Amino acid sequence: MTEKKSAPIGVFDSGVGGLTVMREISRQLPCENIIYFGDTARVPYGSKSQNNVIRFSEQIIRFLQTKQVKAIVIACNTASALALESVQERFAVPIIGVVIPGARAAVEVTQNRKVGVVGTDATVQSGMYTKVIHKMAPDIVVLEKACPLFVPLVEEGFKEHVVTEEVIEYYLDSLRNTEIDAMILGCTHYPLLRSKIRAFMGDKIQIVNPAYETAMDLKKLLKQQGIENDGAAGECKRYEFYVSDAAEKFRKFANTVMPFDVPTTNVVNIEEY
């Protein structure tokens, strides 16, 4: 059991956005060892068919299993929506996604039953958050808004630039003038803009960060199964990073997100799995 406790958690995403989920897991579960995989060769997943997203997810899970992971987090909204149920049925390792924790948190915090969701074009067109929220609470009104420029602004290092504030205003002005009292950041890149989004939307709206909610769900899962790392085995905070392409570009971006230095990133031929 000690060996199981010190086994790593696998986290994967279609690219770099899932680093916000890994960052939150490292904050909330500071003793856990984590292996991150970014599918940078095949990003974005939003334009891919469900069959392909399931196939990609299965390949990555098989790779992570070679690292003896004890649990897996799908840190990608598209893969969480399109592949989670399929891979949960197929693999014995516990697997969770980011959509359900984010949706549940919004259902819990909304007072007036009106929730906003911001995400990529693919996420908004799929209506995934609306579907999940309505399964939990059919009476809630959900307004989804695509904000496609947020991702390139983050990835090009424009988080603090005035142009980002202008784009936030352009996209979110219509949502600010509605009655929503909770808003889900429905893309893993968006927490990196959280302070600017909060400043624009104002204090009356609760900002829901699915990365944080997912980390808390993972914490509960590990505790329930008795496999949380308590540090007794002395193996803590081992972090490994793997990608399917462009390792150096990924590493540089990771160093702007993670609260520690990312010295190396390894390339994996994921099609072999």
Side-chain angles (χ1 to χ4, degrees), residues 13 15-18 20 150-152 154-155 187-193 253:
D13 180 42
V16 299
T20 59
F150 284 1
V151 169
V154 166
E155 291 196 3
C187 170
T188 49
H189 283 71
Y190 294 6
L192 298 170
L193 300 176
F253 184 80

Side-chain angles (χ1 to χ4, degrees), residues 68-121:
Q68 283 75 51
V69 294
K70 62 184 176 184
I72 291 173
V73 176
I74 303 179
C76 168
N77 283 274
T78 303
S80 293
L82 300 183
L84 180 63
E85 284 183 20
S86 174
V87 296
Q88 281 177 330
E89 287 170 11
R90 185 146 188 189
F91 296 93
V93 63
I95 305 170
I96 64 171
V98 291
V99 172
I100 291 170
R104 189 180 59 245
V107 169
E108 287 170 359
V109 301
T110 180
Q111 298 293 307
N112 67 4
R113 318 305 279 169
K114 292 183 175 68
V115 171
V117 179
V118 289
T120 63
D121 276 326

Side-chain angles (χ1 to χ4, degrees), residues 1-175:
M1 184 53 83
T2 302
E3 192 178 315
K4 183 84 169 173
K5 286 188 170 191
S6 61
I9 293 156
V11 178
F12 78 87
D13 180 42
S14 58
V16 299
L19 289 166
T20 59
V21 179
M22 179 175 173
R23 180 178 68 179
E24 208 58 60
I25 293 169
S26 71
R27 281 176 179 162
Q28 306 305 327
L29 292 83
C31 256
E32 296 295 343
N33 302 308
I34 307 171
I35 293 173
Y36 183 95
F37 180 85
D39 198 359
T40 45
R42 303 185 292 199
V43 65
Y45 280 8
S47 56
K48 309 294 191 295
S49 68
Q50 181 169 14
N51 284 344
N52 267 330
V53 173
I54 290 171
R55 181 170 68 85
F56 296 168
S57 300
E58 287 177 351
Q59 288 175 326
I60 296 164
I61 291 166
R62 284 195 288 270
F63 162 70
L64 290 171
Q65 285 186 311
T66 68
K67 303 293 182 182
Q68 283 75 51
V69 294
K70 62 184 176 184
I72 291 173
V73 176
I74 303 179
C76 168
N77 283 274
T78 303
S80 293
L82 300 183
L84 180 63
E85 284 183 20
S86 174
V87 296
Q88 281 177 330
E89 287 170 11
R90 185 146 188 189
F91 296 93
V93 63
I95 305 170
I96 64 171
V98 291
V99 172
I100 291 170
R104 189 180 59 245
V107 169
E108 287 170 359
V109 301
T110 180
Q111 298 293 307
N112 67 4
R113 318 305 279 169
K114 292 183 175 68
V115 171
V117 179
V118 289
T120 63
D121 276 326
T123 297
V124 169
Q125 282 168 21
S126 75
M128 62 177 85
Y129 274 99
T130 299
K131 289 172 199 161
V132 173
I133 288 169
H134 283 164
K135 271 188 190 172
M136 298 175 182
D139 63 308
I140 289 180
V141 175
V142 184
L143 301 175
E144 297 204 40
K145 177 75 178 176
C147 305
L149 286 176
F150 284 1
V151 169
L153 284 168
V154 166
E155 291 196 3
E156 294 302 321
F158 277 68
K159 284 184 295 184
E160 301 304 322
H161 200 284
V162 67
V163 73
T164 300
E165 293 173 7
E166 290 168 0
V167 171
I168 287 171
E169 182 177 359
Y170 172 76
Y171 283 140
L172 300 188
D173 197 46
S174 58
L175 270 183

Side-chain angles (χ1 to χ4, degrees), residues 217-228:
D217 270 26
L218 177 63
K219 194 174 191 173
K220 269 185 232 161
L221 171 73
L222 298 178
K223 204 169 188 64
Q224 281 166 0
Q225 301 208 359
I227 54 173
E228 74 277 24

